[in-house]
Amino acid sequence: MSKTFTREEVARHASENDLWVIIDTDVYDLSNFVDLHPGGAFPILELAGKDATTDFYGLHRQEVLVKYKRYKIGSIAGEKAQFSIPQPGELSKVPYAESSAFSGFKSPYYKESHFQFRTEVRKIMAELAEEFRELDQTDGKPSDELMQKLGETGLLACNVGPGPHLKGINIPAGVKPEEFDYFHEMIVHEEFARVVPRGVDDGVIGGFVIAIPTVLNFAKPHIREKHARDILLGKKRICLAITEPYTGSDVSRIRTTAKLSADGSHYIVNGVKKWITSGRYAQFFSTAVRTDKGLSMLLIERGEGVETKAIRTSYSPSAGTAYVTFDNVKVPVENLLGVENQGFKVVLSNFNHERLVMLMGASAAGRLAVEECLKWANQRKVFGKRLIDQPVIRNKLANMISQVEAFHNWLENLTFQMNHMNYAEQSEKLAGPIALAKYQATRMLHNVSDDACQIFGGRGITKTGMGRYVEMMQRTYKFSAILGGSEEIMADLGVRQAMKHFPKEARL
Ligand SMILES: Cc1cc2nc3c(=O)[nH]c(=O)nc-3n(C[C@H](O)[C@H](O)[C@H](O)COP(=O)(O)OP(=O)(O)OC[C@H]3O[C@@H](n4cnc5c(N)ncnc54)[C@H](O)[C@@H]3O)c2cc1C
Ligand code: HEM
């Protein structure tokens, strides 16, 4: 049992070398920390021996107490804590912080296994949260150990959605591969978005999740068997290399060439690729190349002639964003993905899923901003009142909540369609709505991020401390508006798809 003290006892420890404070009902001995304190010694010295709860929560995130729990020496006898630190796996009780099914409302979409699955995934992610944050702050490479841990927990494979690749994978909460559906997948992306800063997330799963389907669905069986499992278990890394300095949105104009060797045993690849997510870390590059009569996809293994250089973007270098050069790279013909000159089919085949992944992450990102703002507006006092007591702030929150909820409801409908359509029907019916939803998602993020930043004030543009999530969101939400099909292209695609089904007989 932890030690207990009276408030009078704590008050006797009020000097620089013997300095205790009370936060809520916990007692901290900060004697050895006061000179190391990032906020300087002065603010702590002023509160030596006293109750520092209000000042502490005005300036720090609760996670600071978890990180520095080593300074806690006990608690105040007979007092009940006002604030609780969430237990790993626990759902938030803040209104709108969880989607409605997970905050007590009825829903036709989720079964018991989804609830259990979320709890388990949240626990796993809580264990890794500090490591993800550190990576973002140090711009580090996601380590092999981290990737393998995600592989062992089954979470890498779950990021790819339902399918035969889940056979033999340990899925959290004992979900069977055949039970795993797109709502389980949604939960995985939401839980990642809650914990993993955007750039780190792309370095860990962003490149992988858009590239591995090309191997699972189009590699020759022996190539798939040789590599897919290692990639799904985090032992090897893969990225998708399509974009070039010359061409982004217009994939048909890529210039990287693959020429068949005289004996027909391999291709010789030459060209450059730009902005390749996790390209700096990858052993495999699923690469769009120009062959004899069209576009083809090749699985290129890192080796002689492959060079990757870092590209610095506005998010964390942990994303491993790379400029990739192929200089006379020899690639065995067996590494062709799909059929020669029919690479477009491979490129297009995963677009719906790639975009769905982004929608799920975007929805959770918007929702987390709502939670952060509700908490902050409730605890920040300005002009003698809480921010939430100002009608203008409540109006901003109303905008944020309604946009997140409206978007999420559309997303759940699309996810339900994914669950109940076969691949052909998904391709036929969902490309347009998913593109429009992606357009809507990034407009929603734009508005939510803007309001959140205003609510946090200076902290919303400061990388550490209370506003760190909102600052990161403000700096990175645009990535979703450009990657995986830019906003303009998505909007246009959505309307063009709708016009394909426009009835000839319809007139005003
Ligand atoms: C950080 C980062 C990571 C990335 N990761 C990868 C990756 O892993 N693999 C990969 O292959 N690629 C990757 N990309 C590339 C990304 O997919 C492209 O940036 C995207 O396709 C847009 O291409 P672009 O930037 O060349 O813009 P452009 O095609 O030059 O377009 C510029 C702007 O014009 C608009 N526009 C273009 N055409 C039209 C039109 N017809 N009508 C109206 N507006 C139009 C676009 O919407 C865009 O806003 C990444 C990019 C970034 C920045
Ligand atoms: C357990 C006790 C404490 C710990 C572990 C701690 C830790 C930290 C840390 C890590 C930061 C960096 C910012 C962040 O990550 O949020 C910080 C900032 C700061 N702390 Fe503390 N702190 C403690 C108690 C206090 C107390 C009692 C005060 C008194 C008011 C205080 C005042 C400040 C100030 C003024 C800042 C700068 C905040 C800013 O600029 O926004 N801290 N503290």
Side-chain angles (χ1 to χ4, degrees), residues 192-227:
F192 269 69
R194 280 182 71 83
V195 170
V196 193
R198 180 64 208 267
V200 178
D201 192 53
D202 275 7
V204 173
I205 59 143
F208 154 84
V209 87
I210 57 179
I212 184 75
T214 62
V215 177
L216 295 172
N217 300 327
F218 295 97
K220 313 246 171 323
H222 70 285
I223 295 288
R224 187 176 60 230
E225 246 128 67
K226 197 165 148 200
H227 302 305

Side-chain angles (χ1 to χ4, degrees), residues 275-296:
W275 291 309
I276 305 310
T277 302
S278 69
R280 274 168 57 218
Y281 316 137
Q283 281 86 26
F284 294 103
F285 302 78
S286 178
T287 309
V289 293
R290 186 154 295 292
T291 38
D292 202 15
K293 294 193 185 72
L295 193 107
S296 302

Side-chain angles (χ1 to χ4, degrees), residues 310-323:
I311 298 179
R312 286 188 72 87
T313 64
S314 4
Y315 68 19
S316 168
S318 303
T321 313
Y323 193 82

Side-chain angles (χ1 to χ4, degrees), residues 50-76:
K50 297 186 189 148
D51 188 322
T53 312
T54 308
D55 288 283
F56 181 86
Y57 277 113
L59 297 159
H60 310 72
R61 297 178 68 89
Q62 207 173 36
E63 74 213 15
V64 168
L65 293 179
V66 179
K67 186 170 172 190
Y68 292 89
K69 59 176 185 273
R70 60 183 178 277
Y71 294 116
K72 184 176 150 186
I73 52 168
S75 52
I76 298 293

